[in-house]
Amino acid sequence: MTALSDRPGGPGVDGRATHATRHHSGHRAQGWTAHLAPIGLEELVETAALLTRVDRKYVVPEQELPDLLAAVPERTRVLEIEGSRAFGYRSDYLDTPALDAFWLAGQGRRRRFKVRERTYLDTGTTYLEVKVPGPRGTNLKERVLRAHRGPLDDGEQQFLDERLRAARVPDHVRVEGLAPALVSSYRRTTLLLAGDEPGTDSRATLDTDLVWALPGAHASRLPVTDRVVVETKTGSTPSALDRLLWARGHRPVRISKFGTGLAALDPALPRLRWHRVLERDLGLPRR
């Protein structure tokens, strides 16, 4: 198995998107970014793969996106593949029966972890990913291509076990016990933001049409409407988009598609460090 860099692949937690949904989401993304020059996938990965990075996340009302993107620097480029600028993602998050990943992340523990199976819905390509904290506030993500969906094979279990042990995740967390805990789907537009100095380019993603669901054909699901999750992925220096967001009164928030989604869907779970973003930014007060 070979670790690969971050690549895009419409929404719908069952892995299927209707033509109308894809068209609507793609049309919005095309309109927001019509003034930006395109960049191809290979050039984007080569320029700013950023698998070890500082992530800053924001929740922005969708109505603000046109003005925000109109103000980005002229050298900003948008990922375009075969004329499309928005791509469907599905993430199946894995956790232990005791929800160790949820609790470690929600309590801000240093030795937290995240494991997911990510599928790019436009291509059907699936990866197994593990994400752990890196040095000095960075995040480290590694991943391997999956040849199949479903239970992990021996090689995939070994890959995860080696990464979790290297990250000093608590010993009681066993790879063999990982099982689906949450599904999220969304559509993503990716920007390349040119830095002021060589080697300081960064990326940003705009996620729309987010839907959270518990595993199972008839489980609860929760669409997040009229909100865009903006994530900047930089080195140590904030990007031009970060500065634009700050100037408009937006500050980074604690949002995790896994932790926040699970806390929103399961009323038996505490909201931990995600209570403010759920109530203030997403408009989801506890019932």
Side-chain angles (χ1 to χ4, degrees):
M1 295 185 295
T2 304
L4 299 174
S5 57
D6 203 7
R7 293 168 175 262
V13 295
D14 61 354
R16 299 186 298 271
T18 66
H19 174 77
T21 301
R22 286 186 183 220
H23 177 77
H24 181 58
S25 299
H27 179 73
R28 281 150 51 211
Q30 296 287 124
W32 295 337
T33 63
H35 62 294
L36 300 178
I39 185 172
L41 178 59
E42 297 303 326
E43 185 180 356
L44 175 71
V45 171
E46 180 180 348
T47 304
L50 291 173
L51 293 189
T52 301
R53 67 207 187 194
V54 176
D55 298 337
R56 299 177 183 88
K57 299 178 182 179
Y58 308 82
V59 176
V60 180
E62 187 173 306
Q63 64 187 17
E64 295 186 23
L65 257 292
D67 286 344
L68 178 68
L69 292 177
V72 298
E74 291 184 1
R75 291 187 296 159
T76 301
R77 299 165 72 187
V78 58
L79 176 64
E80 182 174 301
I81 301 175
E82 297 181 353
S84 295
R85 295 186 171 194
F87 307 94
Y89 285 62
R90 168 181 167 139
S91 294
D92 293 66
Y93 292 93
L94 308 182
D95 206 347
T96 65
L99 298 180
D100 288 288
F102 172 83
W103 285 98
L104 290 169
Q107 295 171 341
R109 299 296 179 87
R110 169 63 184 164
R111 290 190 272 177
R112 62 190 180 272
F113 69 98
K114 185 183 297 179
V115 174
R116 68 189 173 202
E117 180 186 76
R118 170 171 280 182
T119 300
Y120 299 103
L121 299 179
D122 296 84
T123 64
T125 307
T126 299
Y127 296 90
L128 176 66
E129 302 183 343
V130 57
K131 188 175 180 180
V132 297
R136 296 181 294 279
T138 63
N139 293 299
L140 177 62
K141 183 175 75 175
E142 294 186 76
R143 64 196 222 157
V144 293
L145 182 67
R146 296 208 77 191
H148 63 281
R149 292 180 58 87
L152 304 177
D153 62 30
D154 291 343
E156 291 166 337
Q157 289 194 13
Q158 181 179 355
F159 163 75
L160 290 179
D161 189 65
E162 290 174 353
R163 272 54 181 186
L164 295 183
R165 299 288 79 82
R168 300 178 62 195
V169 167
D171 291 338
H172 70 269
V173 175
R174 310 306 304 171
V175 170
E176 298 83 358
L178 293 175
L182 183 83
V183 180
S184 73
S185 65
Y186 50 94
R187 291 188 68 78
R188 169 167 289 184
T189 297
T190 301
L191 306 179
L192 175 69
L193 298 147
D196 295 329
E197 302 292 337
T200 62
D201 292 350
S202 63
R203 279 189 295 156
T205 56
L206 315 173
D207 294 344
T208 61
D209 303 313
L210 173 63
V211 179
W212 285 312
L214 297 176
H218 304 291
S220 300
R221 66 191 301 273
L222 177 65
V224 178
T225 58
D226 303 322
R227 301 289 193 279
V228 180
V229 179
V230 178
E231 183 172 357
T232 62
K233 308 162 193 287
T234 72
S236 58
T237 303
S239 69
L241 184 57
D242 287 294
R243 293 190 289 271
L244 282 171
L245 286 162
W246 298 345
R248 286 161 169 76
H250 296 287
R251 293 294 181 269
V253 298
R254 289 174 173 168
I255 183 171
S256 157
K257 289 191 179 72
F258 170 55
T260 311
L262 199 54
L265 278 170
D266 190 340
L269 291 174
R271 293 189 161 194
L272 302 174
R273 64 191 334 206
W274 303 296
H275 67 95
R276 289 189 65 189
V277 72
L278 281 165
E279 296 181 11
R280 181 190 62 190
D281 299 289
L282 296 176
L284 296 171
R286 184 177 288 278
R287 296 182 178 88

